[in-house]
Amino acid sequence: MLVALAGNPNTGKSTVFNALTGLKQHVGNWPGVTVEKKEGWMEYNGKRIKVVDLPGTYSLTSYSVEEKVARNFIIEEKPDVIVHVVDASNLERNLYLLAELLDLHPRIVVALNMFDEARRKYEIDVEKMRNLLGLPVVPMVAIKGEGIEELKREIVHGKFNPRGVEYPEDIEKRIKALEEKIREMGLEPARWLAIKTLENDAEVIKKLSDIGARNILHDAEHLRHEIEDIYGDDIESVFASVRYSFAHGLFHEVAAPINVGGANITDMIDHVVTHRYFGIPIFIAIMYLAFQFVFLVAAPFQDAIDFMFNGKDVAGGHIDGLIDISYAWMSSFMPDWLASLINHGMLRGLGAVLTFMPVIMLLFLILSFLEDSGYLARVAFLMDSVMKKMGLEGRGVIPLMLGFGCNVPAVMATRTLKDENERRLSIALNPFIPCGARIQVFAFLSYIFFPENAALVLWSLLMLSILVVFILGYVYSKTLFRGESQPFVLELPPYRMPTMKGVSVHMWEKSEGFVRKAGTIIVGAAAIIWALAALPWGVEYGGEESYIGMLASLLAPVGYALGITPEAIISLFFGFFAKEVVIDVLYVLYGSKDAILAAMTPLQAYSFMLFMLFYTPCVATLATIYNETKSLKFTLFVVVEGFIVASIFAFAAYHIGTLLGVGA
Amino acid sequence: MNTAEKVRVSIAYAVSLASISLFVSAANVLAWLGMEIPRFLAALAIISLVPLLSDDIRKSSKLIAATAFFTIFALGVSLFLADHARIPGDPMDSFILLLVASLLLTGMKNAVKMLYSGLSFYIVGTFLLLAFSGIKIIILLADALDYYVNCIGEVCDPYGFALIPSIVLFILAIPAVYPYRHRNEFRRGVER
């Protein structure tokens, strides 16, 4: 068995080496360089184990002889175990090397040396560190011989299930692309070589060049420029920043500093934004401001797009929009039904998609800004314990909060969740969060039916949705979406001012997918809804004799059981297309606000709102769910769970209210 | 005045900013409840005197005078806002301004002692106020744009721009970033 000792200079590596090997050592030079090489032998339970003390290094780049010697030994000699000797009193700085080692070797024992000194600076949760890293971690004071026996035991019997650095998605996919090509050439360790090639590591590039891997070098250069463009920084700084984030995040997770504050801005801001009392209020304030920014700044652009497509009614008549103009033009040379399908079905669907665009783009603009600035990582850190209760990690709070704005980007934002099981759980819960459009409908109906208590009614609906999300999250995480939640290090990157280019690239990468993928499905679905509302040919569009009207009549008994009128059921059908439409449909069907008031009792209205709160999400959200999960079964599950929950609440509210004589 | 004294003046100024934020916060709640905003609410400016509780402020007559001046300043700004500003009546705005005031007041105690732990709260409080008021100004501009978009094809009056408290708060928050520029003069404090 071969063991290598790695670590920063002055971490007590030689002391650990001496304590492990005693007098059985040999001192010489590494071949070709004047760097001291120490080898020795240790014995454990009759096993003779060779121990090699690698030169002390701060990283594994190829800039110094020591770094080259250390990494070449690991690659060429393939030690069975690496003992990473860490100066625990300077934990965060030492963890950078660990981040690099984890890219290179899976079997690492972390020796937290100088643990006595470390305890004067911070309290270290060793068990948590073991869980997060999936590696043996041994606290020790080598100079006093403390922890040496445990270290030996872990070297021989330790369990290794390493969880290394998680690179951001846009870097990870480029590493993977290169890794695959390197592996095809039979080179190992492929992942490390891919990372180092992307990092522009001179020695690795020379090695690949020597064996004629020109294609790989060409691809790497292209991918490197892409990463540099996205992050607006040179490649080495980008990779170093990810490793520092890992080190900073791990340090924050496992060490509670006794001294507070610090000279650098990241420490100072972290002191407040992850504060026990101020952390969550600050998060709520920032998210609220972000939402206000997105929805209020998007409004003029949405109105302009809506006007462009649909025109508008003005005092002097109607200004035609694109749909009207195009319909009139097409009707002149094609059958009316075809012109209507293209314009009232598909073009209207396209208009609806484009109306979403300002919200989507601004939402991702602000999310990218918060992410690139480093704040979102702190949110995940802050909410971790709360979200764990419902089977999600800390980052899961972001998609849920986004759901209050619009479920489409919220479902897309679940991509930040690393665990596929958690991601699906988050997607399954998201439609229960009422989006801005649904809230608009609730505000409208609350104002009509409960003029004195409109705010209270609206608040009760929002609270109920949060309660349902928490209960279902808890139940689902124990049943349908049960899984082993893998602990992982929440990276905490240093705060920085995001670059305009980086934020724009991130925003565009996320938004264009929505237009391209959801767009096609929405336009298709719009055509189907049009057909249901327009056929059989000649009937009133969306009237009782249309297929949609017939379906509503068919479902009327169910509606009555839930206290919902047939007209309201028709509006729910159209709400499937876009929730805002529900108000328009109610107006069209009833004719006026007074007629709506006369047609339903307050109890029926509340029951209707409860049903709308939980029933199927809109077609855009469903299209996005399908795109994100690539599972028709899962998408149907979301529809079915929505109808079940909606029916239970509407039925219960209506019948309990009737029994109690409330709101008749 | 040395840098430490200038920083302390700036902190006294920020406390007056906290008192103005508290005034706007309370006024927002009253507006939300549909009530008139009483002029005596401006008396919240008395909070600007809080720095006088600190020995580091009391030991300098200049700092005492600055604190007194900022208290009168806060009173004047609050009265001006009560008379001339359009208070939006948004309870969440109230919450955020209350949070800003809490952060600035929490940071004050250690910031006047030139400790990082105080500066931390101070920096986050000031930046949050700048972000809050900056976003509100952008929203005001977007609202104006929306008004004109909805006016297409109709005869509309020019958009009625009104003074909102955020415009005043944004301008007042800019000088408060001064201690941040001198963060290297602060030192580490030990807390347990």
Side-chain angles (χ1 to χ4, degrees):
Chain A
M1 187 177 189
L2 176 62
V3 174
L5 294 191
N8 291 11
N10 306 317
T11 54
K13 213 151 48 68
S14 296
T15 317
V16 174
F17 178 75
N18 290 338
L20 287 175
T21 59
L23 293 173
K24 297 178 212 92
Q25 30 178 285
H26 166 75
V27 181
N29 269 2
W30 290 92
V33 291
T34 54
V35 177
E36 190 180 76
K37 181 183 187 183
K38 288 204 285 186
E39 290 176 345
W41 288 266
M42 71 174 228
E43 283 188 13
Y44 185 76
N45 284 352
K47 256 190 185 175
R48 193 171 149 80
I49 298 160
K50 185 176 179 182
V51 183
V52 176
D53 186 12
L54 300 176
T57 61
Y58 291 104
S59 68
L60 293 178
T61 56
S62 59
Y63 288 120
S64 74
V65 180
E66 287 83 359
E67 287 170 346
K68 284 186 203 173
V69 166
R71 69 185 211 177
N72 287 345
F73 179 84
I74 296 169
I75 295 165
E76 287 159 18
E77 302 298 325
K78 299 183 179 62
D80 298 291
V81 172
I82 295 176
V83 175
H84 179 211
V85 183
V86 167
D87 171 4
S89 65
N90 280 304
L91 188 60
E92 187 174 348
R93 196 183 65 185
N94 279 242
L95 291 174
Y96 183 88
L97 179 63
L98 179 63
E100 281 208 278
L101 285 170
L102 280 164
D103 282 337
L104 187 56
H105 201 284
R107 294 169 64 86
I108 301 169
V109 177
V110 181
L112 293 177
N113 196 19
M114 306 184 200
F115 202 71
D116 50 346
E117 270 185 53
R119 270 196 289 229
R120 280 182 223 126
K121 292 174 81 173
Y122 25 68
E123 288 162 12
I124 300 178
D125 188 340
V126 177
E127 195 50 46
K128 192 172 185 189
M129 196 168 174
R130 283 186 191 122
N131 285 335
L132 289 172
L133 289 169
L135 297 172
V137 178
V138 181
M140 59 192 303
V141 187
I143 204 159
K144 295 180 187 166
E146 290 173 15
I148 294 295
E149 279 311 305
E150 193 187 342
L151 179 62
K152 286 182 180 173
R153 190 170 59 246
E154 294 294 359
I155 288 171
V156 178
H157 300 299
K159 288 196 172 67
F160 302 91
N161 182 23
R163 283 180 279 276
V165 179
E166 284 185 6
Y167 291 90
E169 199 186 333
D170 37 22
I171 298 181
E172 184 60 44
K173 70 179 180 197
R174 289 172 175 88
I175 293 174
K176 286 223 167 87
L178 206 57
E179 183 185 349
E180 210 169 292
K181 290 188 175 161
I182 290 174
R183 189 159 284 129
E184 278 168 15
M185 288 195 73
L187 299 172
E188 288 296 338
R191 181 173 171 82
W192 183 81
L193 286 169
I195 291 170
K196 286 292 160 187
T197 312
L198 279 177
E199 261 191 283
N200 217 4
D201 183 286
E203 201 176 323
V204 171
I205 285 178
K206 186 175 178 304
K207 190 177 164 186
L208 290 173
S209 177
D210 288 348
I211 59 168
R214 296 233 153 68
N215 281 347
I216 290 178
L217 293 176
H218 177 78
D219 289 351
E221 193 176 344
H222 177 67
L223 296 169
R224 188 182 308 131
H225 287 316
E226 282 182 353
I227 295 173
E228 286 179 336
D229 267 358
I230 292 171
Y231 286 86
D233 213 338
D234 66 277
I235 194 79
E236 283 184 71
S237 305
V238 173
F239 274 87
S241 171
V242 176
R243 293 188 190 112
Y244 277 120
S245 307
F246 171 85
H248 190 59
L250 179 57
F251 174 76
H252 258 263
E253 292 267 11
V254 301
I258 292 167
N259 286 343
V260 295
N264 81 49
I265 188 73
T266 292
D267 284 345
M268 281 196 281
I269 297 178
D270 274 349
H271 178 51
V272 184
V273 300
T274 59
H275 192 272
R276 204 183 330 168
Y277 303 121
F278 281 109
I280 290 180
I282 289 173
F283 165 62
I284 292 171
I286 289 176
M287 290 316 283
Y288 176 74
L289 286 176
F291 282 1
Q292 269 213 323
F293 174 80
V294 169
F295 292 104
L296 296 179
V297 174
F301 302 101
Q302 287 187 286
D303 285 348
I305 294 170
D306 183 49
F307 168 65
M308 209 169 74
F309 274 88
N310 298 313
K312 70 185 272 203
D313 291 324
V314 291
H318 179 80
I319 301 176
D320 284 347
L322 265 178
I323 294 171
D324 302 310
I325 296 165
S326 166
Y327 175 68
W329 176 65
M330 287 185 187
S331 299
S332 66
F333 61 86
M334 62 169 69
D336 193 50
W337 67 267
L338 187 57
S340 179
L341 168 66
I342 294 172
N343 293 289
H344 298 138
M346 294 159 89
L347 196 57
R348 186 163 284 163
L350 181 68
V353 175
L354 291 179
T355 315
F356 270 111
M357 272 311 280
V359 175
I360 303 267
M361 292 187 80
L362 282 174
L363 202 53
F364 281 122
L365 175 82
I366 203 127
L367 264 187
S368 300
F369 182 88
L370 290 174
E371 191 171 2
D372 291 2
S373 70
Y375 180 68
L376 277 196
R378 274 72 188 178
V379 172
F381 185 83
L382 199 67
M383 298 301 290
D384 208 35
S385 57
V386 180
M387 298 307 290
K388 271 204 174 100
K389 290 197 175 79
M390 43 188 293
L392 293 170
E393 51 153 299
R395 277 179 280 218
V397 73
I398 306 287
L400 289 182
M401 292 211 65
L402 284 177
F404 282 110
C406 175
N407 297 117
V408 172
V411 169
M412 288 160 79
T414 58
R415 290 176 196 171
T416 52
L417 300 173
K418 307 282 177 190
D419 185 281
E420 188 54 28
N421 200 43
E422 289 189 18
R423 187 161 174 253
R424 286 186 165 229
L425 170 59
S426 183
I427 293 175
L429 295 177
N430 211 288
F432 293 117
I433 298 284
C435 63
R438 270 185 280 178
I439 293 172
Q440 273 180 36
V441 178
F442 298 149
F444 170 80
L445 291 174
S446 303
Y447 177 73
I448 295 182
F449 285 95
F450 309 93
E452 303 295 318
N453 299 301
L456 186 68
V457 168
L458 194 56
W459 182 83
S460 74
L461 293 169
L462 295 183
M463 288 301 111
L464 187 65
S465 74
I466 292 169
L467 188 71
V468 166
V469 164
F470 267 87
I471 293 172
L472 276 184
Y474 181 79
V475 173
Y476 280 174
S477 66
K478 304 274 180 251
T479 52
L480 295 175
F481 297 89
R482 189 170 49 194
E484 277 292 300
S485 184
Q486 293 289 319
F488 66 97
V489 177
L490 282 169
E491 281 110 16
L492 291 182
Y495 289 103
R496 64 186 187 117
M497 184 51 81
T499 61
M500 201 54 218
K501 193 170 180 182
V503 168
S504 312
V505 170
H506 279 142
M507 178 186 79
W508 181 243
E509 274 187 350
K510 288 166 182 164
S511 316
E512 64 141 2
F514 168 74
V515 184
R516 199 146 25 104
K517 294 177 185 170
T520 50
I521 295 172
I522 291 168
V523 171
I528 295 169
I529 292 174
W530 171 88
L532 286 172
L535 298 174
W537 200 242
V539 299
E540 188 193 345
Y541 185 74
E544 276 180 28
E545 287 163 3
S546 66
Y547 286 136
I548 216 165
M550 287 186 229
L551 205 55
S553 307
L554 196 69
L555 290 173
V558 181
Y560 285 124
L562 304 174
I564 303 172
T565 62
E567 289 83 1
I569 286 193
I570 294 177
S571 76
L572 288 172
F573 265 114
F574 282 94
F576 177 61
F577 178 52
K579 303 291 177 189
E580 303 91 325
V581 174
V582 167
I583 300 174
D584 294 336
V585 176
L586 286 175
Y587 256 105
V588 169
L589 294 175
Y590 285 113
S592 70
K593 203 187 285 182
D594 291 335
I596 297 173
L597 188 59
M600 288 188 245
T601 63
L603 182 62
Q604 279 180 305
Y606 193 72
S607 173
F608 172 66
M609 284 192 277
L610 277 175
F611 192 83
M612 196 180 158
L613 179 65
F614 296 122
Y615 89 122
T616 177
C618 69
V619 67
T621 306
L622 285 177
T624 313
I625 290 174
Y626 177 74
N627 276 322
E628 293 297 312
T629 58
K630 296 278 174 278
S631 164
L632 192 60
K633 203 171 138 191
F634 185 86
T635 312
L636 282 174
F637 167 76
V638 170
V639 175
V640 172
E641 65 161 1
F643 272 109
I644 291 173
V645 174
S647 303
I648 290 171
F649 277 96
F651 183 87
Y654 181 63
H655 288 279
I656 293 172
T658 307
L659 276 175
L660 297 175
V662 182
Chain B
M1 259 196 205
N2 58 27
T3 307
E5 277 189 317
K6 283 182 190 166
V7 167
R8 286 184 181 119
V9 168
S10 186
I11 288 161
Y13 171 73
V15 174
S16 72
L17 205 54
S19 77
I20 298 168
S21 301
L22 277 177
F23 164 78
V24 179
S25 172
N28 249 316
V29 173
L30 293 177
W32 182 58
L33 294 171
M35 293 164 70
E36 284 282 310
I37 295 153
R39 282 172 67 85
F40 69 77
L41 198 62
L44 281 169
I46 202 162
I47 289 166
S48 308
L49 292 172
V50 165
L52 292 178
L53 298 174
S54 162
D55 292 342
D56 295 287
I57 297 285
R58 280 204 309 270
K59 70 186 175 193
S60 159
S61 54
K62 282 181 201 164
L63 293 177
I64 293 172
T67 307
F69 172 76
F70 289 137
T71 306
I72 296 165
F73 172 74
L75 183 68
V77 172
S78 300
L79 285 172
F80 172 76
L81 290 175
D83 291 341
H84 298 100
R86 188 184 69 197
I87 308 286
D90 183 336
M92 276 306 286
D93 284 7
S94 286
F95 163 73
I96 296 171
L97 288 169
L98 184 66
L99 180 63
V100 166
S102 312
L103 287 166
L104 291 174
L105 290 168
T106 307
M108 194 275 305
K109 184 182 152 202
N110 284 331
V112 292
K113 290 179 187 159
M114 304 297 283
L115 296 177
Y116 283 127
S117 52
L119 185 64
S120 306
F121 286 95
Y122 185 91
I123 287 174
V124 175
T126 312
F127 285 170
L128 186 58
L129 182 56
L130 279 169
F132 167 81
S133 45
I135 286 175
K136 292 289 170 184
I137 292 169
I138 294 171
I139 287 171
L140 180 71
L141 296 173
D143 190 47
L145 181 61
D146 199 26
Y147 176 81
Y148 286 112
V149 167
N150 284 314
C151 270
I152 295 173
E154 293 184 54
V155 183
C156 296
D157 293 329
Y159 181 76
F161 273 104
L163 178 73
I164 55 169
S166 293
I167 297 174
V168 176
L169 287 170
F170 185 78
I171 295 165
L172 293 181
I174 295 170
V177 297
Y178 180 78
Y180 172 68
R181 294 179 57 206
H182 292 279
R183 60 191 178 280
N184 293 328
E185 316 247 343
F186 282 71
R187 62 183 194 280
R188 183 182 283 264
V190 178
E191 279 179 13
R192 195 63 235 262

